[in-house]
Amino acid sequence: MGRGRAMVGVGDTAGVRRHRVAVLVRPGMLPMEVGIVHRIFGQARSAAGEPLYELVTCTPEPGELPTDTDFTVHVAHGPEALDDADTVVVPASGEDYDGEQREGRLSPGMAAALARIRPGTRIASVCTGAFVLAAAGLLDGRRATTHWGSADDFRRMFPAVELDPDVLYTDEGDVLTAAGVASGVDLCLHMVRRDHGAAVANDVARRTVVPPHREGGQAQYIHRPVPEPQLSSTSVARAWALEHLDRPLSLRELAAREAMSVRTFTRRFREEVGVSPLQWLTRQRIERARQLLEETDLTVDRIAAETGFGTAASLRQHLHTALGVSPRAYRSTFRGVGV
C-alpha cells in the first residue's frame, strides 16, 4: 500500500485526505499512457459518489513538453508535486526522448525529482517507464517487467533486476511495473482494487468499458505469425463456467462445452488467456468471493459454497494465498462488517 493509505474501506472517506497520485512525465511522453492513469484513478468513487483519488501531473521542468505525437502538452506542476504524493506513476516516453532507456542512467532533472519522493511512497511504472525506476535503483533484487520489445536492452543495463517480460504487470508491494500501454489499465485497476476493493475497481472498469480484472501473470502477447484458420475459441466454456462457479468443474466438462479434447482445450485456453484453465477458475472463484464479501452479509461458509471452494477452510486458504488476508479481515477492511 501507499504510505498512509493502507486499505481504506469504500464508506470511510469522510474527513480523510484523498490518496494523491502524481503522474511524473518527461519530454516525449505517450499521451495515451498519461491519460490511462488519470482515467482509471479519476473514475474511482466512494459509495457516496466522492472521488477517492486526487491526481496531479508533474515534470522535472514544468512548461511546454513535446509528446511522441504531433502536439505538445503544457505541464504546470514541477517536481514539488511529488513531495506529498501517496503514489507516483512514471509512464513511458518515446525512444527519441528517453535518455534513461538509451543510457541506463537518470538525467539530473529526473534524479532530483525522484529524490523528493518520501520513503514508503508507492511507485509504479508503465511500459519503458521501468527504465527510470531501474536507473534509480528501485528495482534491484525485485521482480519487474517492461515492454517485451525493450527486454533485451533492459537486461543488459540492469542485471540486478529480476526481469519477467512475459507478464502484464508485477506487484512488489511498494513498487509496481506494467508491461505496456494496455497493461497500464490492468495495473491501475489492480492498484484501485488493492486500495478500495473489487467493487470499486469493477465499477471503474465498467465506466471505462474494459475487462474488470486481468491477472498480472497473464502473457503480454501471443506470438502466432500465421493465424490458424477457423481457430476455435474457449469463450463459450469460460462464460458457462462463470455461471456455474458454485459447482465442481472439471477440465473434461469444460472441454466438452467446446467439443474439444481435454488436451486441445487446455492448449487453446492457455493460448487465449495466458494461464491454465484451473488457474483461471481459481482466480474467478477468488474474485467472486471478494465481491460477495464486499457486497453481501453472507457467512464465510455460504460464500465458500457459492464460489465452489466447498468449505470455509478452503476459502480461507485460497484467499490468504492470493491476498494475504482472511475473509474476515478482507470484509472488515472494505465494508467494516464482521463475518
Side-chain angles (χ1 to χ4, degrees), residues 32-275:
M32 184 174 179
E33 289 194 1
V34 179
I36 282 171
V37 181
H38 280 269
R39 178 69 180 178
I40 299 299
F41 287 107
Q43 287 288 307
R45 296 287 189 272
S46 70
E50 295 294 323
L52 293 170
Y53 296 92
E54 174 188 356
L55 288 108
V56 60
T57 303
C58 63
T59 187
E61 297 181 12
E64 204 78 9
L65 263 66
T67 69
D68 76 331
T69 67
D70 63 347
F71 61 85
T72 61
V73 173
H74 182 80
V75 181
H77 300 283
E80 69 280 353
L82 300 169
D83 294 351
D84 59 353
D86 300 297
T87 293
V88 175
V89 181
V90 182
S93 285
E95 291 183 13
D96 291 342
Y97 296 90
D98 201 338
E100 284 79 16
Q101 184 176 352
R102 293 194 309 270
E103 302 172 13
R105 57 186 177 85
L106 295 174
S107 65
M110 185 59 69
L114 293 174
R116 303 183 71 126
I117 300 174
R118 294 173 296 178
T121 299
R122 181 170 63 185
I123 303 177
S125 65
V126 180
C127 195
T128 56
F131 281 78
V132 173
L133 272 55
L138 297 172
L139 299 179
D140 288 353
R142 296 176 184 259
R143 183 168 168 264
T145 193
T146 190
H147 191 281
W148 61 268
S150 301
D152 289 342
D153 288 341
F154 191 97
R155 281 198 183 94
R156 174 175 52 81
M157 294 179 183
F158 309 110
V161 180
E162 184 185 337
L163 181 69
D164 188 346
D166 297 323
V167 298
L168 295 177
Y169 60 85
T170 64
D171 181 348
E172 292 287 290
D174 58 343
V175 180
L176 305 92
T177 58
V181 178
S183 61
V185 174
D186 300 306
L187 178 61
C188 290
L189 283 172
H190 171 73
M191 287 190 279
V192 171
R193 182 178 294 104
R194 210 175 75 168
D195 292 342
H196 297 288
V200 171
N202 290 347
D203 180 64
V204 172
R206 283 192 297 270
R207 292 171 182 267
T208 315
V209 197
V210 295
H213 190 206
R214 292 198 300 170
E215 286 285 342
Q218 290 188 26
Q220 284 191 29
Y221 74 108
I222 301 167
H223 182 60
R224 186 180 291 123
V226 181
E228 297 179 28
Q230 299 180 335
L231 180 64
S232 299
S233 170
T234 60
S235 59
V236 171
R238 280 180 274 138
W240 181 81
L242 290 175
E243 296 295 324
H244 298 84
L245 289 177
D246 60 324
R247 52 173 288 186
L249 298 173
S250 67
L251 273 176
R252 187 176 299 279
E253 194 172 15
L254 293 174
R257 290 279 155 183
E258 303 289 359
M260 297 179 187
S261 68
V262 169
R263 182 176 180 179
T264 298
F265 177 80
T266 301
R267 176 171 57 84
R268 293 274 171 82
F269 195 100
R270 185 178 287 276
E271 287 176 345
E272 293 176 14
V273 182
V275 295

